[in-house]
């Protein structure tokens, strides 16, 4: 994803069990204290997030979770209950988007936002929970990690075994830049919910799709959430992926298949209002390449994708990067990809977390010698209707907004079908 720059109307863009995520309480805090609500959790009290939860029927998720926690009697039981409830939230969101179960509320079923805001209600409830047994900060952080993973589909990429079915992993993102407009949805997250557990039929066999939705937080990425999720599917074995596609929101009016990914974080603030400007940090104990490469490259069939009739929005093979050429000190834009020996300052997908997830996924692909198509797709910006653009006075949804999101999801599915069809 690319951070929105008003002038350009863009968005610029079993391994880690002991590693706390960004939502963990500070290491210096006293044991058995509750957690201060995070920046993301504090946005929950605004009127529009509450309306999204109420109009989707997901306003019961956090209260039900708090009641489940109240009956927990031990750390081991807490782990089981939190994993169960997190997984239930993920499946509930998938079922709602895919049309299973009752359509509670009047919000359109394709909406990804109920999952995001309900999860934050649950993480806040976990942070404020005061059990009847000792719960040091480190243990609460570990339980929070369990909740995050389960409620994002990160621990449930249930790829089938067998030679007669293809296996594809797709990832999306949470809504972001919510201080500018708290109503925002992320079409990549909506597409991930619509695709999870589905089967794509192709002329050379079926393809099973499994998905996850990642946070828009620098710290979680540095802690290895991407590698932890993807590595089991990337390793050799009967359930190894045959293709993968990371997806995020990009520019207005176009899809982009990003040709090259760069090892640079540009510093734009994330959903926690944290900024990071540095080389992409690779966590310890992760398969990687040394020295760390400045660039990685897509192996998606971009030539076939851009020429296929996947939908009404144009799709581009996007090759531009920003680099510091070898021997130079000043960044320059290279329209046709990086030059030999250059230092990354932005991949095709920018210098935000969409570029970073593409870089991490393709670096991991290369480190484990996965010979499968994989790379990043940027969707168009999801826009509200022309009479609903002011976040101060606008509504949380409108017919154009719903139509635009449904159209993006449909075209993501069509693009993925091209990938599946060309995968052997």
């Amino acid at each position: 994803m690319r951070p929105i720059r008003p002038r350009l109307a863009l968005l610029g863009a079993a391994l880690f069990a002991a590693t706390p995520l960004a939502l963990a309480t500070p290491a210096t805090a006293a044991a058995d204290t509750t957690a201060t609500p995070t920046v993301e959790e504090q946005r929950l009290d605004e009127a529009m997030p509450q309306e999204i939860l109420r109009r989707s029927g997901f306003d019961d998720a956090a209260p039900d979770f708090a009641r489940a926690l109240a009956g927990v009697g031990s750390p081991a039981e807490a782990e089981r209950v939190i994993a169960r409830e997190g997984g239930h939230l993920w499946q509930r969101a998938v079922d709602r988007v895919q049309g299973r179960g009752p359509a509670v509320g009047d919000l359109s079923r394709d909406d990804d936002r109920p999952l995001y805001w309900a999860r934050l209600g649950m993480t806040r409830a976990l942070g404020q929970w005061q059990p009847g047994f000792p719960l040091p900060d480190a243990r609460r952080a570990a339980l929070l990690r369990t909740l995050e993973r389960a409620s994002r589909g990160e621990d449930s990429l249930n790829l089938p075994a067998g030679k007669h079915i293809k296996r594809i992993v797709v990832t999306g993102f949470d809504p972001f830049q919510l201080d500018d407009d708290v109503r925002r949805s992320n079409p990549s997250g909506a597409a991930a919910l619509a695709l999870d557990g589905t089967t794509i039929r192709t002329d050379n066999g079926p393809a099973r799709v499994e998905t996850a939705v990642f946070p828009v937080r620098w710290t979680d990425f540095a802690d290895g959430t991407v590698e932890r999720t993807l590595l089991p599917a990337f390793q050799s074995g009967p359930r190894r992926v045959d293709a993968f596609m990371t997806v995020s929101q990009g520019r207005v009016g176009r899809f982009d298949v990003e040709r090259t990914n760069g090892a640079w974080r540009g510093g734009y603030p994330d959903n926690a209002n944290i900024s990071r400007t540095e080389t992409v940090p690779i966590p310890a104990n992760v398969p990687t390449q040394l020295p760390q490469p400045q660039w990685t490259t897509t192996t998606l069939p971009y030539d076939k994708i851009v020429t296929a009739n996947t939908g009404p929005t144009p799709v581009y093979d996007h090759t531009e990067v920003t680099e510091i050429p070898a021997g130079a000190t000043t960044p320059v834009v290279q329209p046709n990809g990086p030059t030999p020996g250059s230092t990354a300052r932005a991949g095709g997908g920018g210098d935000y977390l969409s570029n970073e997830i593409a870089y991490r996924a393709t670096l991991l692909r290369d480190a484990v010698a996965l010979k499968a198509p994989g790379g990043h797709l940027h969707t168009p910006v999801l826009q509200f209707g022309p009479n609903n653009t002011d976040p101060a006075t606008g509504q949380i949804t409108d017919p154009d907004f719903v139509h635009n999101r449904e159209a993006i999801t449909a075209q993501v599915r069509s693009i993925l079908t091209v990938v599946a069809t060309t995968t052997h």
Side-chain angles (χ1 to χ4, degrees), residues 11 17 26 39 55 59 64 109 175 182-183 213 219 226 270 281 301 304 308-309 318 332 346 350 355 382 404 410:
L11 298 178
V39 168
R55 291 178 60 182
D59 54 346
D64 287 352
R109 294 190 72 136
V182 78
R183 304 175 299 162
V213 173
T219 303
V226 173
D270 63 10
K304 294 181 173 61
N309 181 19
H318 189 225
V332 296
N355 168 77
L382 175 57
N404 291 341

Side-chain angles (χ1 to χ4, degrees), residues 52 75-76 80 84 94 101 116 129 139 164 191 199 262 266 272 285 340 400:
I52 289 168
R80 292 192 298 271
R84 181 193 70 209
V94 169
Y116 176 72
W129 179 42
R139 185 61 178 171
H164 303 295
T199 299
N285 302 320
D400 289 334

Side-chain angles (χ1 to χ4, degrees), residues 337-349:
T339 57
S342 65
T343 301
R345 282 300 177 266

Side-chain angles (χ1 to χ4, degrees), residues 379-401:
T379 76
V381 174
L382 175 57
Q383 296 178 302
F384 287 95
N387 298 319
N388 189 30
T389 58
D390 187 348
T393 60
Q395 304 300 309
I396 64 168
T397 190
D398 62 63
D400 289 334
F401 183 65

Side-chain angles (χ1 to χ4, degrees), residues 19-103:
T19 306
L21 296 181
L23 296 176
T25 51
T28 56
D32 301 326
T33 60
T34 58
T36 301
T38 67
V39 168
E40 286 184 279
E41 292 166 358
Q42 291 172 36
R43 298 186 185 107
L44 262 172
D45 296 325
E46 298 182 35
M48 286 185 176
Q50 291 299 313
E51 183 180 350
I52 289 168
L53 289 171
R54 183 176 64 254
R55 291 178 60 182
S56 63
F58 276 53
D59 54 346
D60 61 0
D64 287 352
F65 179 63
R67 282 189 287 272
L69 288 177
V72 168
S74 70
E77 185 182 5
E79 181 75 24
R80 292 192 298 271
V81 168
I82 289 167
R84 181 193 70 209
E85 295 298 312
H88 173 71
L89 178 66
W90 169 256
Q91 192 59 53
R92 180 180 175 184
V94 169
D95 288 346
R96 186 178 193 277
V97 169
Q98 295 186 15
R100 291 187 291 271

